[in-house]
Amino acid sequence: MSSLPAPVSRRPIHTRRISFEGFLREDGLWDIDCQLSDTKANDIVMRERGVLPAGEPVHLLQVRLTVDDRFTIRAVQTGVVNVPFQECHQPAAEPMQKLVGLTMGPGWRKKIEGAIGGVGGCTHLRELVFNAATAAFQMIPHHRATEAGRKDDTPVDGKPPFYMGQCMTWAFDGPVVQRLAPVFYRKKDG
């Protein structure tokens, strides 16, 4: 294991915390609750909110994506708790509804940009939605495989899992695929 080396002497300035939690609903759909929080280590003066005490969120934004087993968004809810400008509250929720019907997977970032990109949406909510896909991919296939009594989430259709070939550890010519999914292993050329 390896962690970051000890830093030089320094002091905290800003903290961004992002979290994703996944839930299986009673109706068989999945909720992914996403949250982004930005805080400062010192009191700051904000243009429209006045003095913001250290630790009080500049941003505290929430998104709940409801998806099905195929990673298609069925519903979107947003919570805009803390923002720098009053205008951030209302417009954020409405554009997010354009995500309903989109499917997470290849081209996901492009789909998000097409639906709520640029001034058509909130950059922080876009960031949450984009990264929610990884939470969905960690949650749904593994849970469904476990539920079906399989030891892993390798598909039964003979196709490699979506994550193979998308990470250096899961390279088709790598030792992890050779060891855990030899049927998909491809020896390096040369």
Side-chain angles (χ1 to χ4, degrees), residues 63-66 73-78 93 96-97 99-100 129:
V63 176
R64 175 172 296 137
L65 299 174
T66 301
I73 296 177
R74 304 285 288 280
V76 178
Q77 297 170 315
T78 58
M96 296 292 284
Q97 297 310 307
L99 299 171
V100 174
V129 170

Side-chain angles (χ1 to χ4, degrees), residues 1 40 45 67 72 76 80 84 156 164 170 185:
M1 291 183 72
K40 301 294 183 186
V45 177
V67 301
T72 299
V76 178
V80 180
V156 291
M164 282 189 188
W170 285 103
Y185 176 73

Side-chain angles (χ1 to χ4, degrees), residues 21-33 64-77 100-102 136 139-141 143-144 147:
E21 292 184 280
F23 303 90
L24 177 58
R25 296 164 34 133
E26 287 183 2
D27 61 6
L29 297 174
W30 304 87
D31 279 341
I32 303 166
D33 286 2
R64 175 172 296 137
L65 299 174
T66 301
V67 301
D68 60 24
D69 280 352
R70 296 180 179 267
F71 304 100
T72 299
I73 296 177
R74 304 285 288 280
V76 178
Q77 297 170 315
V100 174
L102 298 181
M139 174 177 59
I140 297 170
H143 182 78
R144 288 298 187 212
E147 197 175 52

Side-chain angles (χ1 to χ4, degrees), residues 3 39 62 94 124:
S3 61
T39 59
Q62 303 162 328
E94 187 178 326
H124 304 305

Side-chain angles (χ1 to χ4, degrees), residues 155-172:
V156 291
D157 61 5
K159 297 178 183 175
F162 65 89
Y163 51 81
M164 282 189 188
Q166 303 301 312
C167 168
M168 62 188 205
T169 299
W170 285 103
F172 288 105

Side-chain angles (χ1 to χ4, degrees), residues 67-119:
V67 301
D68 60 24
D69 280 352
R70 296 180 179 267
F71 304 100
T72 299
I73 296 177
R74 304 285 288 280
V76 178
Q77 297 170 315
T78 58
V80 180
V81 182
N82 288 51
V83 287
F85 304 104
Q86 188 62 32
E87 289 82 1
C88 296
H89 282 279
Q90 285 308 104
E94 187 178 326
M96 296 292 284
Q97 297 310 307
K98 294 177 184 173
L99 299 171
V100 174
L102 298 181
T103 300
M104 297 172 175
W108 181 230
R109 184 180 301 270
K110 190 173 184 177
K111 290 176 189 177
I112 294 169
E113 287 299 321
I116 58 172
V119 297

